[in-house]
Amino acid sequence: MTLLPALPFRLHPNAAKGRAGAAVLDAAGFAEARAAITSWPGYAATPLVDLPGLARALGIAALGWKDEGGRFGLGSFKALGGAYAVARHLARTLAARGITATDADLAAGRHAALTRDITVTCATDGNHGRSVAWGAQRFHCRAVIYIHETVSDGRAAAIARFGAEVRRVPGTYDDAVRRAAEDAAAQGWTVVSDTSYPGYTDIPRDVMQGYRVMADEAFAQWTGPAPTHLFVQGGVGGVAAAVAAQAALHFGADRPHLIVVEPDRFDCLYRSAVVGTPTPSPPGPDTLMAGLACGEVSILAFDELLHRADAFMAVPDEAVAPAMRALASGVDGDPGVVAGESAVAGLIGLALARHDPAAAAALGLDAAARVLLFGTEGATDPELYARLVAVPS
Ligand SMILES: Cc1ncc(COP(=O)(O)O)c(C=O)c1O
């Protein structure tokens, strides 16, 4: 059985892999993030689902799906990053005034008299803003969240539900990033962004340290011989960088191959890897994979990936609905899995590469491969999800 038709894709094996680079995500920062996040009320590891039927269909030995749909009730792995960075920011601000506050203190509102005057802000295509809004509500500060033209009303409402002010601005995600930065500078707010740029790296580093909890759980949950390949979707590169750093910590030199997969319409990581330096993707049509619709890389994440990723791929939108449907219905006896539009890029990369002899050879992707995929979101836009998984008439 072929999961997907033979659609066009691009593959760039990363010649820069292994070249020494600056450490972007240190182990101590991860240990702090893990201790904090696992102490939050409602914390539970998300499931790692074994999909042997899909593995058979793809002609590989094993396939694991780390299902982030249930993360803290927010629907995506992003719950780990933005909210954690909000807590860190509040704790640091209080520390500067001589006050020591744990996440539990903040959540209990012990310093609310001070923290409610603090405003955090960010741009989002949905999931990150939801996490920042949730963190602001949980830890008692104010949030103003910027969304661009094409973010759905459903996603906007999901952010507003956590008490944040949501502002819609013209243009793209990258325009919203700039607008959040400008307004924050004018108003004395703090940008809690999931992307880093020159002069702004501390908070996005906290965000990525939070994401590492997802990979840490998955590696601990994996049973049998270790995975050989990780296919991770890329927006600005934050989650792929977090997985890369965690794989290096967990597996050392024998770590699995890591392949970063982006929509071919928003391939800033791919282009940057080809050139060797941050390079934007040119303006063009939108992608269904809203969480991956990023035209510019996070500089920290790109540094990490340039030294650690094995390859970069760019895949077409046409594969999204078929991949979501295959997961939803379950292949060959597998359980059904709810995967949103931005969660399936890794599976698309795997399926296209596995069925292309040159790509499969370049990635060492053969019948013995054991692949771990990160289902980074569930149905975060339920209407769109229902439309895409509906059987085509
Ligand atoms: C569901 C989902 N998966 C993956 C990503 C990509 O993450 P990053 O931008 O850190 O590369 C996003 C980003 O918003 C997302 O929402």
Side-chain angles (χ1 to χ4, degrees), residues 75-78 124-128 155 173 194-195 207-208 211 232-241 260 269 290-294 298 301 305 340-344 374-378 380:
S76 87
F77 80 100
K78 290 255 158 186
T124 187
D125 40 58
N127 292 334
H128 175 65
R155 288 188 191 276
Y173 168 76
D194 55 356
T195 194
V207 170
M208 288 192 279
Y211 295 165
V232 191
Q233 34 279 8
V236 300
V239 67
V260 182
L269 293 161
L292 315 183
C294 309
S298 165
L305 292 171
E341 314 80 69
S342 298
V344 295
F374 295 88
T376 46
E377 69 176 353
T380 54

Side-chain angles (χ1 to χ4, degrees), residues 69-240:
R71 182 69 75 180
F72 283 117
L74 266 68
S76 87
F77 80 100
K78 290 255 158 186
L80 297 166
Y84 174 61
V86 169
R88 291 271 295 175
H89 171 64
L90 297 180
R92 274 196 209 112
T93 307
L94 292 173
R97 298 185 190 186
I99 300 165
T100 305
T102 62
D103 286 14
D105 294 331
L106 292 169
R110 284 191 194 106
H111 304 288
L114 294 172
T115 55
R116 68 170 156 252
D117 291 334
I118 298 172
T119 300
V120 292
T121 187
C122 70
T124 187
D125 40 58
N127 292 334
H128 175 65
R130 200 178 296 192
S131 180
V132 170
W134 177 65
Q137 185 179 65
R138 180 170 262 220
F139 300 116
H140 301 280
C141 68
R142 181 172 168 249
V144 179
I145 310 292
Y146 290 81
I147 55 174
H148 58 278
E149 264 169 41
T150 57
V151 174
S152 71
D153 289 341
R155 288 188 191 276
I159 296 167
R161 207 170 297 137
F162 295 112
E165 182 188 333
V166 179
R167 295 188 183 173
R168 191 183 285 278
V169 299
T172 63
Y173 168 76
D174 300 290
D175 294 317
V177 169
R178 275 183 279 273
R179 181 64 189 281
E182 282 162 19
D183 286 5
Q187 304 286 338
W189 302 341
T190 298
V191 176
V192 176
S193 175
D194 55 356
T195 194
S196 57
Y197 35 88
Y200 178 78
T201 52
D202 289 348
I203 287 176
R205 187 182 278 111
D206 289 340
V207 170
M208 288 192 279
Q209 294 287 25
Y211 295 165
R212 288 175 73 174
V213 169
M214 172 188 75
D216 180 52
E217 288 172 2
F219 298 151
Q221 288 164 319
W222 183 277
T223 50
T228 56
H229 294 76
L230 313 169
F231 284 76
V232 191
Q233 34 279 8
V236 300
V239 67

